[in-house]
Amino acid sequence: MNIYARYFDQEVLVHNYDELMGFLASIPEIPINARLEEDVRSYVESDMPYPKRYKIRPRVYFILIKTAAESMEEFKSHHKDNNNAPVTASNTPSSVEAIVNKKEIRAAQLAEIHSGWYLGTVVFKRVIQIAGTTKFRYQDTTFQAYVRANSGMECYNRIIEHLKNRPEIDLRSQFPSARGNNFTYEFVGNELPTEGEDDE
């Protein structure tokens, strides 16, 4: 498998770990250290077919995608022809092609297994009664909590379940999709970074 790497408008398709690290090292904004080198090597040598993103700073990432394409032209041509092709659990590393559709990348990120604490944030439309009337309105409401989970998707599911079971929240409230911009999460490790936060 080859590797497609992208950081903003800088992109490359490489054939091995050394070429990949050469590309990453050429970008001043990406801090190369032993931990990053080890993690990238582990991803390149693993059987994991899904894309992987690496956080540089808040909201800034570079992404790696495994592909059988031998050139950038072939990679982009495959993306154009197969943008809506389904990705299933039966895919094997030898048959998995470029997964560059935003929804597919998001789904892969949500499914990544990392057991520990997550900081999940949901912005949902809460039904609120208008004072002095029998009418209601939607109000954007942010809920944030530390959640013990195995993946971003489990973090999302536990938060939504918790909100739906809170008696003060009207069941007509509207909750966002896990793949949308109104749900964000961050893996914080095996220990809570602070005390006194809500947790699930």
Side-chain angles (χ1 to χ4, degrees), residues 35-192:
R35 181 178 179 181
L36 178 66
E37 291 178 345
E38 180 181 350
D39 198 273
V40 170
R41 182 185 293 276
S42 177
Y43 172 73
V44 170
E45 296 178 352
S46 74
D47 291 337
M48 186 177 77
Y50 299 111
K52 187 173 179 65
R53 68 174 183 172
Y54 291 84
K55 186 175 183 178
I56 304 303
R57 58 183 186 274
R59 300 178 183 276
V60 176
Y61 304 84
F62 71 83
I63 189 166
L64 305 180
I65 300 174
K66 292 184 177 180
T67 176
E70 291 295 330
S71 68
M72 185 69 76
E73 292 75 16
E74 182 183 351
F75 176 86
K76 292 191 173 183
S77 174
H78 180 91
H79 172 214
K80 181 178 180 180
D81 294 339
N82 296 278
N83 194 44
N84 296 316
V87 179
T88 68
S90 63
N91 288 142
T92 62
S94 60
S95 66
V96 173
E97 299 294 341
I99 309 172
V100 295
N101 179 277
K102 277 187 175 182
K103 291 183 178 179
E104 292 170 347
I105 293 173
R106 175 67 167 174
Q109 292 164 351
L110 287 164
E112 287 183 4
I113 301 298
H114 294 290
S115 298
W117 288 99
Y118 289 76
L119 178 61
T121 304
V122 170
V123 180
F124 67 103
K125 293 189 177 299
R126 183 177 179 181
V127 170
I128 302 291
Q129 185 171 5
I130 300 174
T133 74
T134 58
K135 296 181 179 181
F136 295 82
R137 63 182 175 86
Y138 286 108
Q139 176 177 301
D140 284 345
T141 302
T142 300
F143 177 84
Q144 185 176 73
Y146 285 104
V147 181
R148 185 84 182 181
N150 293 315
S151 66
M153 192 70 224
E154 185 178 352
C155 171
Y156 168 83
N157 288 335
R158 296 198 65 193
I159 287 178
I160 298 302
E161 180 183 4
H162 172 76
L163 291 173
K164 287 183 176 180
N165 287 328
R166 290 180 66 155
E168 72 274 20
I169 295 181
D170 193 300
L171 291 178
R172 293 172 295 177
S173 298
Q174 297 179 357
F175 300 98
S177 164
R179 296 183 182 183
N181 294 330
N182 286 332
F183 170 64
T184 59
Y185 65 95
E186 180 182 355
F187 180 72
V188 297
N190 292 320
E191 301 291 337
L192 282 172

